[in-house]
Amino acid sequence: MPQGSSQPVRTHRVAVIVDEGTNPFEVGVATELFGLPRPELGLPWPPYEVTLCTPTPEVRMNHGFFTLTGVPGLDAVDDADILVVPGRPDNVVPRGVAVLDAIRRTHARGARVMSFCTGSFALAEAGLLDGRRATTHWRWADSFRELHPKVLLEPDVLFVDEGDLLTAAGSAAALDLGLHIWRRDHGAEIANAVSRRLVFAAHRDGGQRQFVERPVPDVPDESLAPLLAWAQERLGEPLTVADLAARAAVSPATLHRRFRAQLGTTPLAWLTGERVALACRLIERGEVRLDVVAQRSGLGTTANLRARLRRETGLSPSAYRRRFGPVLGESLTA
């Protein structure tokens, strides 16, 4: 398992606001992602610690499934590095003043604030999202636009990362955003290890447009899983979309349609994303030669590696290695 990250030794404190009518699944996602011990990662410190907090001593969950009691009040947000705001179905009902104040003051002191599903309504109601990019569940996108016209809503993506403000599109997309947080804080290899533990894809290509209601085809396309597994074992080879189509015994146009239908992306975009992920893992494991990383990941040239890595992670290879590599003090060389 991945060990020895150069990330500074610290534990991120995560607070989860559980309000009246909150969806239990999203509270479970937060505790599963950030609250459970991960001894298999070999980290010398707990990466995250989770605290649930409520505006009242007793909070009834969505549909009255159960009542949450015995957890701290909203003062717990004052110690949080990350604040999670899950969703609830009654989006047009205003949040309580205490909840909105807790969200505002957490953001004001520089902590990251993230919402799951329709929790973005609360962030918008608190005034944090005006002029900022955000997303929410596709089913409530029109309602969100009507209530919060100043927010730059992106309804087709799984999540939006604005640095200090992060929003996930739906309940399951909370897993995508949570793994993104792991990847940003601790690197791709550790995030991949957590995703394997969850039995969930470390990175799902495409966006929530895949899940918008639409007629089901009479004859669904065959699964792409065998082709993807075959390609992932050969990323360092000069694979092309034509090679993938030949392996699947279909035309490139048919392959393109299947990728769009099943993954919400194109074969070339998927292939490039997998190669960048492999390049990240190679850097994290200590490979310092950029030409070797570029060749083994299938990105070809160091210039292409630099461009693709910066586009995907916001970091140059050297900066990525300083943040996530196993050894400090070495520089990447071409």
Side-chain angles (χ1 to χ4, degrees):
M1 282 297 169
Q3 300 186 31
S5 171
S6 62
Q7 180 77 1
V9 177
R10 65 165 298 186
T11 298
H12 297 276
R13 297 181 299 273
V14 181
V16 183
I17 291 183
V18 186
D19 199 3
E20 189 75 16
T22 293
N23 290 326
F25 177 82
E26 291 159 28
V27 176
V29 168
T31 55
E32 174 73 26
L33 279 166
F34 304 119
L36 298 185
R38 302 288 182 190
E40 70 274 12
L41 299 180
L43 297 175
W45 75 97
Y48 303 96
E49 289 180 352
V50 170
T51 300
L52 304 183
C53 57
T54 59
T56 56
E58 294 187 358
V59 167
R60 203 169 77 109
M61 306 297 289
N62 185 22
H63 290 305
F65 288 132
F66 59 87
T67 299
L68 187 65
T69 63
V71 300
L74 293 179
D75 288 347
V77 306
D78 295 330
D79 295 323
D81 304 302
I82 301 172
L83 176 62
V84 178
V85 183
R88 64 181 194 183
D90 51 346
N91 306 308
V92 298
V93 177
R95 298 267 182 164
V97 173
V99 170
L100 296 177
D101 179 64
I103 294 172
R104 292 188 189 106
R105 72 174 185 263
T106 302
H107 179 256
R109 62 178 173 78
R112 285 178 285 181
V113 177
M114 56 192 291
S115 65
F116 292 165
C117 194
T118 56
S120 53
F121 280 78
L123 270 59
E125 190 178 351
L128 303 187
L129 297 179
D130 286 356
R132 305 287 294 272
R133 296 166 52 249
T135 191
T136 195
H137 193 289
W138 59 265
R139 187 175 179 184
W140 286 280
D142 290 340
S143 175
F144 187 96
R145 286 194 186 97
E146 183 177 349
L147 288 170
H148 307 291
K150 295 181 180 179
V151 181
L152 307 179
L153 185 67
E154 297 190 2
D156 293 332
V157 299
L158 294 175
F159 62 84
V160 170
D161 180 353
E162 282 276 278
D164 56 338
L165 295 168
L166 305 96
T167 51
S171 296
L175 286 165
D176 295 284
L177 178 55
L179 288 170
H180 172 73
I181 291 293
W182 272 93
R183 191 160 50 245
R184 285 293 191 183
D185 288 350
H186 306 292
E189 189 167 2
I190 286 180
N192 288 342
V194 174
S195 75
R196 287 193 293 272
R197 177 72 178 268
L198 295 173
V199 196
F200 189 82
H203 177 77
R204 288 194 291 167
D205 293 309
Q208 63 170 326
R209 66 167 63 94
Q210 306 170 64
F211 307 107
V212 176
E213 292 175 350
R214 64 185 59 152
V216 177
D218 294 333
V219 182
D221 289 332
E222 296 178 0
S223 172
L224 288 170
L227 176 65
L228 302 185
W230 176 84
Q232 285 169 330
E233 294 178 355
R234 296 163 174 81
L235 294 174
E237 300 176 12
L239 286 179
T240 65
V241 173
D243 295 327
L244 296 179
R247 175 69 184 183
V250 296
S251 69
T254 296
L255 185 70
H256 190 279
R257 287 194 297 272
R258 289 186 180 179
F259 265 76
R260 278 294 185 192
Q262 297 183 33
L263 299 181
T265 189
T266 66
L268 182 58
W270 177 87
L271 190 59
T272 301
E274 291 297 308
R275 283 170 165 158
V276 171
L278 176 56
C280 289
R281 293 195 295 271
L282 291 171
I283 293 172
E284 291 172 24
R285 293 170 184 170
E287 179 54 67
V288 299
R289 296 164 296 178
L290 276 185
D291 57 339
V292 173
V293 173
Q295 182 179 12
R296 290 180 59 187
S297 64
L299 291 174
T301 67
T302 57
N304 190 41
L305 169 64
R306 289 190 181 95
R308 294 293 180 180
L309 195 65
R310 186 175 290 279
R311 180 177 301 174
E312 294 294 325
T313 69
L315 299 171
S316 67
S318 295
Y320 190 91
R321 187 175 189 283
R322 282 194 299 270
R323 185 169 182 180
F324 300 122
V327 180
L328 291 172
E330 296 182 17
S331 61
L332 286 163
T333 57

